Amino acid sequence: MIPPDHTDDGAPDSTVALDRSEAMRLLAGIDYGRVVFTRDALPAIRPVNHFVEADGRVVVRTRLTSRLTSAIGADPGVVVAYEADEIDPGTRTGWSVVVTGLARPVADPYRVARYERLLRPWIAATMDTVVEIEPTIVTGIRLVGAPDIPGPPAPPTLSPKADNHDLSR
């Protein structure tokens, strides 16, 4: 890992930059993330599961009719980003990794069959296309937590299931 940056008073910042190998190791240790691509000249984001090859290629499965597949099919050298993280909001610790690179459909039937075994769809839909992302830029940070800040406690947050009858008057 790269040593943390320091603030003017010498205290460490709350993030530490990860080197490429550590970022890829963390990414390979988690099964899901988000792919970012361009849809009608605007950013689009889709959650997907992934597999990281030993050479660093990030592989995802999708549907032939998906927006991601359409974007990649229209331009075989399309640049995408892939982001995954593991963050504990209670301790304010964790990590986040972003891989940016060219996305291409995988056509080799042996590789496609392998990825179909390794990457099970999350939803009941046919995932008939395999896409690989060749990492050109790999960045990552480790969140080392923020120090406690003195002051009044934060207001309580309502459960998503709370309704107006649960609020105190």
Side-chain angles (χ1 to χ4, degrees):
M1 275 193 301
I2 298 170
D5 293 330
H6 287 77
T7 59
D8 289 340
D9 63 3
D13 285 340
S14 59
T15 62
V16 176
L18 302 173
D19 64 28
R20 183 182 181 106
S21 63
E22 177 71 358
M24 292 304 294
R25 184 189 69 76
L26 290 168
L27 183 62
I30 194 166
D31 296 329
Y32 56 90
R34 289 154 294 284
V35 64
V36 182
F37 59 99
T38 302
R39 175 181 167 202
D40 300 328
L42 297 171
I45 303 170
R46 296 292 180 267
V48 294
N49 56 338
H50 70 266
F51 178 79
V52 178
E53 283 288 3
D55 65 2
R57 284 175 292 135
V58 178
V59 181
V60 301
R61 286 180 66 194
T62 186
R63 295 183 321 275
L64 182 60
T65 58
S66 77
R67 301 277 187 176
L68 171 62
T69 306
S70 297
I72 293 169
D75 180 0
V78 68
V79 174
V80 301
Y82 190 79
E83 190 270 342
D85 50 54
E86 218 172 44
I87 298 172
D88 181 333
T91 63
R92 297 180 178 187
T93 59
W95 58 267
S96 180
V97 170
V98 177
V99 171
T100 306
L102 293 176
R104 293 182 286 276
V106 175
D108 179 305
Y110 296 106
R111 289 181 59 213
V112 169
R114 177 174 178 251
Y115 297 132
E116 286 175 346
R117 287 190 309 274
L118 292 170
L119 292 167
R120 298 273 183 223
W122 289 359
I123 59 173
T126 301
M127 300 296 175
D128 52 8
T129 304
V130 177
V131 173
E132 66 183 4
I133 303 164
E134 185 177 334
T136 303
I137 302 169
V138 177
T139 59
I141 59 168
R142 184 173 300 281
L143 304 171
V144 294
D148 288 335
I149 300 171
T157 57
L158 295 177
S159 162
K161 295 182 180 179
D163 61 31
N164 290 336
H165 301 292
D166 295 334
L167 300 175
S168 56
R169 305 235 183 247

